[in-house]
């Protein structure tokens, strides 16, 4: 009795599925409280900053949007980018045993890892929309949902391109790359419009901050989620252009170092 040969697509799908479960198990952990912690960690971050900024500003809204909803719409897409970049730095060395299987390629590891981050934070977004609408009577349903989905996909692809580049850096210069990447990540947290909208910043800073594609993504998510939100100067097209460029650079650099990644020790 001969075994039917699987098509290349079915083999690729099986690899992605196995890597998805592997990365999901790594994210959640073996403890039964793992899924709860994955959800509560960003919620605690949102709650803490909401309390601090509400106390500092003596008011709890931006452009009529409750600060918790405003902050959540910025920090959750940023977390997709941040966690993808951070995990990419160690991804090649942590998964080098898998490269002994010819079906598993280094590119698969980064792609699936980024998708796991998108999957988890998409679930958290849906949870927050339900909590906001049910408990706090906030109109959390995006008024232009298709555009919001498109922006999240672009943010996922942008994060993947950055992850590919950082994966090579982490494989070649493990310790140094972590220190080098952490500094820009912390800076991006403050210049991507997560805590303060563009409208609240001096006009003289806009021409510099608008080079940041993450700022465009975050502001456009708010503009298409909250009716009437002003996201001046930002656009989806700029984010899409930067995403294509970032993916091209990441894939090129990753492909140039593919043989080096397969020979990691």
């Amino acid at each position: 009795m001969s075994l039917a040969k699987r098509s290349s697509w079915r083999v690729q799908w099986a690899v992605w599925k196995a890597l998805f479960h592997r990365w999901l198990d790594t994210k959640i952990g073996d403890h039964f409280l793992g899924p709860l912690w994955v959800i509560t960690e960003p919620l605690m971050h949102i709650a803490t900053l909401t309390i601090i900024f509400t106390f500092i500003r003596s008011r709890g809204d931006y452009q009529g949007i409750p600060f918790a909803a405003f902050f959540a719409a910025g920090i959750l897409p940023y977390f997709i980018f941040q966690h993808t970049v951070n995990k990419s730095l160690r991804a090649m060395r942590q998964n080098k045993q898998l490269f002994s299987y010819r079906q598993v390629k280094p590119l698969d590891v980064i792609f699936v890892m980024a998708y796991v981050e998108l999957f988890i934070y998409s679930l958290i977004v849906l949870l927050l929309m339900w909590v906001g609408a049910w408990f706090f009577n906030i109109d959390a349903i995006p008024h232009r949902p298709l555009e919001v989905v498109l922006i999240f996909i672009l943010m996922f692809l942008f994060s993947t391109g950055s992850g590919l580049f950082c994966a090579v850096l982490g494989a070649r210069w493990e310790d140094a790359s972590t220190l080098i990447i952490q500094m820009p990540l912390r800076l991006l947290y403050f210049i991507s419009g997560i805590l303060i909208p563009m409208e609240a910043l001096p006009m003289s800073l806009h021409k510099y901050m608008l080079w940041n594609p993450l700022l465009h993504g975050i502001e456009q998510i708010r503009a298409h989620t909250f009716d009437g939100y002003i996201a001046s100067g930002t656009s989806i097209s700029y984010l899409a252009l930067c995403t294509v460029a970032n993916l091209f650079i990441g894939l090129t650099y990753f492909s140039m170092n593919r043989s080096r990644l397969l020979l990691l020790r």
Side-chain angles (χ1 to χ4, degrees), residues 4 28 32 36 41 55 82 98 101 145 147-149 151 165 173 186 219-220 243 245 252:
I28 294 175
F32 73 97
L36 182 62
E41 182 186 14
F55 177 77
Q82 181 193 48
L98 298 177
Y101 302 97
E147 284 84 350
V148 173
V149 171
I151 298 167
F165 189 86
W173 305 285
R186 292 178 181 177
E219 285 286 89
Q220 284 297 310
T243 298
T252 301

Side-chain angles (χ1 to χ4, degrees), residues 143-144 218-231:
H143 73 102
R144 301 183 71 176
I218 289 170
E219 285 286 89
Q220 284 297 310
I221 285 175
R222 291 180 179 136
H224 291 91
T225 299
F226 308 114
D227 194 13
Y229 181 83
I230 300 172

Side-chain angles (χ1 to χ4, degrees), residues 7-251:
S7 65
S8 57
W9 168 247
R10 292 188 65 183
V11 171
Q12 186 66 67
W13 178 255
V15 169
W16 287 345
K17 186 177 178 181
L19 287 172
F20 177 83
H21 288 292
R22 178 183 174 89
W23 276 117
L24 198 60
D25 289 343
T26 302
K27 182 83 174 180
I28 294 175
D30 297 330
H31 199 275
F32 73 97
L33 291 177
L36 182 62
W37 174 247
V38 168
I39 295 173
T40 55
E41 182 186 14
L43 295 184
M44 289 170 61
H45 192 98
I46 294 169
T48 303
L49 269 294
T50 298
I51 294 170
I52 293 173
F53 266 71
T54 302
F55 177 77
I56 292 174
R57 299 179 66 245
S58 71
R59 56 180 295 188
D61 64 80
Y62 274 127
Q63 298 186 26
I65 304 165
F67 181 80
F70 169 88
F71 183 54
I75 194 62
L76 294 177
Y78 174 78
F79 274 158
I80 295 174
F81 172 78
Q82 181 193 48
H83 290 179
T84 299
V85 168
N86 277 332
K87 291 186 177 180
S88 295
L89 291 169
R90 303 179 298 273
M92 295 296 100
R93 294 190 180 276
Q94 288 178 345
N95 294 274
K96 60 185 178 181
Q97 299 89 345
L98 298 177
F99 302 149
S100 59
Y101 302 97
R102 62 182 180 86
Q103 297 90 344
V104 181
K105 304 174 183 64
L107 180 62
D108 297 329
V109 172
I110 303 301
F111 175 78
V112 175
M113 180 198 63
Y115 177 75
V116 167
E117 297 298 328
L118 175 67
F119 174 76
I120 289 175
Y121 284 103
S122 296
L123 293 180
I124 294 174
V125 167
L126 293 175
L127 174 64
L128 287 177
M129 287 168 53
W130 176 76
V131 170
W134 184 263
F135 290 99
F136 300 105
N137 198 28
I138 299 173
D139 186 13
I141 307 300
H143 73 102
R144 301 183 71 176
L146 293 181
E147 284 84 350
V148 173
V149 171
L150 172 62
I151 298 167
F152 265 94
I153 292 173
L154 289 173
M155 295 284 279
F156 155 69
L157 293 174
F158 183 85
S159 303
T160 303
S162 301
L164 290 169
F165 189 86
C166 291
V168 178
L169 294 182
R172 298 187 64 177
W173 305 285
E174 186 174 6
D175 297 327
S177 62
T178 302
L179 294 174
I180 293 170
I181 295 299
Q182 289 306 314
M183 293 176 63
L185 280 179
R186 292 178 181 177
L187 178 62
L188 284 170
Y189 184 94
F190 295 101
I191 65 171
S192 297
I194 297 171
L195 296 169
I196 302 174
M198 282 284 292
E199 287 295 307
L201 297 173
M203 288 295 296
S204 58
L205 295 178
H206 286 200
K207 61 182 178 181
Y208 302 109
M209 295 188 66
L210 286 173
W211 285 97
N212 179 7
L214 295 179
L215 174 65
H216 286 255
I218 289 170
E219 285 286 89
Q220 284 297 310
I221 285 175
R222 291 180 179 136
H224 291 91
T225 299
F226 308 114
D227 194 13
Y229 181 83
I230 300 172
S232 57
T234 62
S235 67
I236 298 178
S237 58
Y238 180 79
L239 174 63
L241 179 64
C242 291
T243 298
V244 172
N246 203 35
L247 267 178
F248 176 77
I249 294 171
L251 284 169

